[in-house]
Amino acid sequence: MRLFRTLAATLASSAVAFSAALLGGSQALAVEAPQTAAQPSRIAAPGTDFTGIAALSNCSASLVRYAESLSTDKALVLTNGHCYEGGMPSPGQVIVNRASTRSITLLRPSSSNAGTVRARRVLYSTMTKTDMTLYEVNETYASIQSRLNVTPLTLAKQAPANGAGMAVVSGYWKRIYTCSVQTTIPELREAGWVMKSSIKYQQPGCETIGGTSGSPIVSTTTGEVIGVNNTGNEDGEQCTLNNPCEVDAAGNITVDQGAAYGQQTWWLYTCLTASRTLDLNKSGCQLAKPARR
């Protein structure tokens, strides 16, 4: 996870402050229609503009929908778990259905600010297995489109294939990185966090930086969100903060300085109900679950 160094120096004195520091832009731990599924926005050149992109105070984000979402559903915003305003979730911690009033800036395709929406709750946030926070905002997709003329990106239902074209679209920096998926890493370790099936980027092209955390990884073929950008190895260290290491199926550890990674988001569908809510107890749900007390 990458953070702004100045913020890290200021807040590194306590665990809570440390979490806020990592939050600080860290890349690693960086219309109303009939009651039918709303149709995804048609993008002439997927990943080449800022359609559906959002900015937070410390990270990037995106306005997203499920393939089955209705225009009357409350809209969703996706970012990283380590961008959560309450501080980074601890290893193993899963936050669900927590109230939020976070302000989120939505962008026009040109990257200029379209306006803001406000979160009403955190549906899901964790840095375990994946690294994502999913907000529900206080407006519907139809309302946002009518008021701000902003349309969402659709979440892909499957993991990306090796070699797939991709773009990391940062609302924080209003910058687009393009490259392709190099491979999927079985396990990524960073400090005490463990992420599974991480997306590794084929360089050059996606040398992401602090502040790009939470950016959607957009398929340049379909325009769907295939993951969420979150980390990279900055200094060549092994499994430390801002220096994730790769672990293969046999347990062998590899360090690739300069490598950048994103996390899986399609797992949301495995926990999705017919009413488009998340049920972590649903059979086959692959998201990390809160610890039982």
Side-chain angles (χ1 to χ4, degrees):
M1 295 148 209
R2 295 175 182 156
L3 57 158
F4 296 124
R5 298 300 186 183
T6 53
L7 185 56
T10 303
L11 300 177
S13 59
S14 71
V16 172
F18 178 77
S19 295
L22 191 61
L23 264 179
S26 169
Q27 120 104 7
L29 299 211
V31 248
E32 180 64 79
Q35 293 294 308
T36 56
Q39 294 303 308
S41 176
R42 292 185 178 277
I43 304 172
T48 62
D49 66 16
F50 294 85
T51 296
I53 302 304
L56 303 175
S57 59
N58 57 353
C59 288
S60 300
S62 57
L63 182 71
V64 297
R65 64 184 294 280
Y66 300 118
E68 299 86 357
S69 291
L70 306 181
S71 63
T72 50
D73 289 343
K74 295 293 186 182
L76 306 175
V77 170
L78 173 71
T79 187
N80 283 149
H82 73 262
C83 297
Y84 171 55
E85 69 267 35
M88 292 192 310
S90 302
Q93 183 181 12
V94 178
I95 298 165
V96 295
N97 294 322
R98 184 171 295 184
S100 176
T101 59
R102 191 169 197 178
S103 179
I104 302 162
T105 301
L106 300 182
L107 306 185
R108 298 185 177 94
S110 64
S111 83
S112 62
N113 290 355
T116 62
V117 295
R118 191 168 293 279
R120 60 189 303 215
R121 58 179 174 154
V122 176
L123 295 177
Y124 186 83
S125 184
T126 193
M127 291 173 64
T128 298
K129 189 175 181 180
T130 185
D131 182 5
M132 78 166 115
T133 295
L134 188 69
Y135 292 99
E136 180 182 82
V137 306
N138 56 11
E139 288 184 70
T140 65
Y141 294 108
S143 173
I144 292 172
Q145 183 169 9
S146 176
R147 184 172 68 88
L148 301 177
N149 196 27
V150 173
T151 56
L153 297 168
T154 299
L155 292 164
K157 288 189 169 185
Q158 62 285 315
N162 293 349
M166 53 164 278
V168 175
V169 189
S170 171
Y172 187 94
W173 291 116
K174 299 183 178 181
R175 178 176 175 181
I176 299 173
Y177 302 79
T178 57
C179 57
S180 61
V181 175
Q182 179 175 326
T183 192
T184 299
I185 305 300
E187 182 174 294
L188 202 67
R189 298 178 187 171
E190 182 172 354
W193 292 274
V194 177
M195 293 154 277
K196 301 288 188 176
S197 300
S198 300
I199 302 166
K200 185 177 184 179
Y201 311 157
Q202 180 69 59
Q203 306 289 17
C206 287
E207 297 84 358
T208 49
I209 60 175
T212 63
S213 285
S215 300
I217 307 172
V218 181
S219 166
T220 54
T221 299
T222 67
E224 293 180 327
V225 175
I226 56 176
V228 59
N229 176 66
N230 83 309
T231 194
N233 187 295
E234 297 183 354
D235 308 309
E237 295 178 3
Q238 180 175 296
C239 312
T240 64
L241 186 65
N242 302 320
N243 295 284
C245 60
E246 302 174 10
V247 185
D248 67 17
N252 300 306
I253 296 176
T254 301
V255 172
D256 187 357
Q257 185 174 7
Y261 308 89
Q263 302 307 317
Q264 302 287 351
T265 52
W266 69 271
W267 289 327
L268 287 164
Y269 282 100
T270 68
C271 311
L272 200 64
T273 69
S275 58
R276 301 169 304 288
T277 60
L278 292 178
D279 180 0
L280 301 184
N281 294 314
K282 179 182 176 181
S283 177
C285 177
Q286 295 192 44
L287 291 175
K289 301 166 181 60
R292 293 186 177 181
R293 295 181 180 179

